[in-house]
């Protein structure tokens, strides 16, 4: 394990400067316009995709992105058909696959798991979603969609609606859009599904305007973008808790009547019932385009990382604290016991380097 990986990993978008994101968005735009120019750009390269959790868009858009760049793919989309089913830990699986592949993409249900993988990987690692924590390539997809459809990433009022507690795409996009001038957020959720404290603290500390409301009807008319999210059944402690939340927010034709003509509706998908099918034919519904844009921006990302364009971010920013444990029960350090307990910060609050959870000491 090295403090400074030589690889350009993508674990958290905020590990990279905004100038790097902007270059990706520019390259994505060019690839979208002239895909044929990139058909052999990754010839001879292999991408490993390790999907420990179900996925349609992220997995397939990464795979098609690599294939459209002329590369090839290996991997699994069901850990039950790999040696994970025999009890192999993340460290060993990662070490092996990263010895076969030139770049590795991983999704895992536990927070901080992809960072854990990057600690021992022998190739660049991309986070394709780690539990309720982050989903940086969905964020790139969202930024790319906003840039392509709104023409700018500045001065946008974005409403996030639904499961803001467990929606990792929401957390990542709020963090990312906070880096662009003039962003304003309207956070629409029930009191049970509000954004985590660390996001609220970050917005407050940065002086970024935001409000937390419960009514989509009241909020919709002032938005440039409405980002709908699914209530994440798989992250609830019980069916009862999920049932109390499901169906709280449903975007339908009636609600869309109140929205501006130039508002766009995004959704990372999959949806359950939070956007009525009747909205799909509205020209402001952009979620299917958004999924396709994900392929172009992932082509730009793979190419950029394999070319080594950019600085390799520091892998470990703080230090190991052997006798201190992350207070987040969903953190990977509680599952994979060999992992060093890495924390940033000092004084009263320590920030877990895997899951970003803040623990008071
Ligand atoms: N948006 C997204 O991550 O979709 P999948 O779960 O299908 O990959």
């Amino acid at each position: 394990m090295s403090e400074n990986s030589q690889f350009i990993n993508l674990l958290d978008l905020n590990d990279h400067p905004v100038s790097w994101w902007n270059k990706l968005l520019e390259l994505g735009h060019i690839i979208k316009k002239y895909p044929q120019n990139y058909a052999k750009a990754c010839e001879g390269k292999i991408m490993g995709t390790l999907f420990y959790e179900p996925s349609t868009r992220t997995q397939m858009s990464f795979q098609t992105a690599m294939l459209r760049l002329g590369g090839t793919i290996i991997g699994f989309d069901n850990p039950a058909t790999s040696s994970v089913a025999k009890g192999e830990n993340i460290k060993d699986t990662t070490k092996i696959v990263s010895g076969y592949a030139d770049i590795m993409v991983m999704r895992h249900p536990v927070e901080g798991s992809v960072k854990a993988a990057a600690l021992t990987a022998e190739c660049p690692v991309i986070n394709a979603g780690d539990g309720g924590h982050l989903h940086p390539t969905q964020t790139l997809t969202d930024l790319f969609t906003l840039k392509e459809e709104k023409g700018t990433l500045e001065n946008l009022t974005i409403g996030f609606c639904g499961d803001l507690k467990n929606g990792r795409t929401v957390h990542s996009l709020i963090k990312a859009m906070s880096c662009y001038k003039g962003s304003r957020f309207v956070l629409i959720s029930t009191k049970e599904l509000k954004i985590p404290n660390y996001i609220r603290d970050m917005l407050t500390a940065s002086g970024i305007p935001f409000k937390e409301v419960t009514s989509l009807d009241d909020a919709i008319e002032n938005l440039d973008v409405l980002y709908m999210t699914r209530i994440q059944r798989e992250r609830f402690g019980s069916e009862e808790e999920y049932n109390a939340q499901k169906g709280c927010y449903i975007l339908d034709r009636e609600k869309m009547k109140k929205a501006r003509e130039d508002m766009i509706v995004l959704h990372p998908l999959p949806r359950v019932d939070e956007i009525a099918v009747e909205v799909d034919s509205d020209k402001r519904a952009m979620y299917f385009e958004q999924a396709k844009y994900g392929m172009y921006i992932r082509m730009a990302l793979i190419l950029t990382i394999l070319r080594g364009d950019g600085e390799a971010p520091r892998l470990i920013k703080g230090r190991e604290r052997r006798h201190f444990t992350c207070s987040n029960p969903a953190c990977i350090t509680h599952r994979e016991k060999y992992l060093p307990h890495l924390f940033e910060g000092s004084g009263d609050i320590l920030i877990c380097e895997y899951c970003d959870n803040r623990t008071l000491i």
Side-chain angles (χ1 to χ4, degrees), residues 297-343:
I297 198 65
R298 287 179 174 108
M299 287 172 80
L301 178 66
I302 294 166
L303 195 52
T304 298
I305 288 180
L306 287 177
R307 280 177 176 168
D309 288 344
E311 294 280 318
R314 283 181 77 84
L315 201 47
I316 301 172
K317 296 163 196 146
R319 65 180 177 91
E320 183 173 0
R321 291 178 184 257
R322 284 176 201 275
H323 305 295
F324 193 77
T325 303
C326 177
S327 63
N328 172 14
C331 178
I332 190 66
T333 51
H334 298 290
R335 298 272 199 102
E336 307 254 336
K337 301 286 186 191
Y338 57 83
L339 286 169
H341 293 188
L342 301 170
F343 293 92

Side-chain angles (χ1 to χ4, degrees), residues 54-58 107 135 138 268-270:
S55 166
T56 299
R57 277 146 292 274
T58 311
R107 170 174 286 190
H135 191 354
Q138 180 64 47
L269 302 179

Side-chain angles (χ1 to χ4, degrees), residues 120 137 243 275 361:
T120 42
T137 68
N243 286 336
I275 300 180
I361 54 174

